[in-house]
């Protein structure tokens, strides 16, 4: 959890209805091969005061019925490294 890593101002946001996902332009359909329907493309984002500070988007961004399911830059390790580096810059 974010608190266990020392971050006190991190909030994880669920988006079951995909409203936030659509607003971010990250909605994709995975219905042909996977039968999932609308899903969020893989990304992670830091938002401060409603402004995107940093976004990590997989591949070239949302692709409907993408065969590949990339998972290289939206992972927790990449985000934690970014947050730790950013917090050092604030000191």
């Amino acid at each position: 959890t974010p608190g266990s890593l020392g971050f006190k101002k991190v909030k994880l946001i669920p988006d079951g209805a995909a409203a936030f996902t659509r607003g971010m332009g990250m909605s994709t359909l995975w219905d042909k091969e996977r039968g999932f329907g609308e899903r969020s493309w893989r990304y992670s984002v830091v938002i401060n005061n409603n402004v995107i500070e940093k976004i990590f988007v997989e591949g070239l961004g949302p692709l409907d019925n993408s065969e590949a399911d990339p998972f290289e830059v939206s992972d927790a390790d990449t985000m934690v490294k970014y947050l730790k580096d950013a917090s050092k810059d604030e000191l």
Side-chain angles (χ1 to χ4, degrees):
T1 62
S4 69
L5 296 171
F7 300 110
K8 298 187 182 351
K9 296 182 180 181
V10 173
K11 184 174 185 178
L12 304 177
I13 304 172
D15 187 29
F20 185 83
T21 297
R22 283 187 223 110
M24 289 291 292
M26 292 294 172
S27 177
T28 185
L29 293 175
W30 280 5
D31 51 356
K32 289 184 181 173
E33 281 188 28
R34 295 176 176 88
F36 290 157
E38 184 179 23
R39 305 290 284 189
S40 177
W41 189 255
R42 289 188 196 269
Y43 70 101
S44 61
V45 62
V46 175
I47 301 173
N48 279 319
N49 297 319
N50 295 321
V51 176
I52 294 174
E53 175 183 312
K54 183 68 175 174
I55 187 166
F56 297 98
V57 179
E58 293 296 343
L60 301 175
L63 298 170
D64 284 346
N65 294 304
S66 172
E67 291 180 15
D69 186 12
F71 188 53
E72 297 174 12
V73 298
S74 66
D75 62 306
D77 288 340
T78 300
M79 181 57 73
V80 168
K81 181 181 181 324
Y82 172 78
L83 292 171
K84 285 183 176 179
D85 290 347
S87 69
K88 288 178 189 172
D89 292 340
E90 292 178 6
L91 296 177

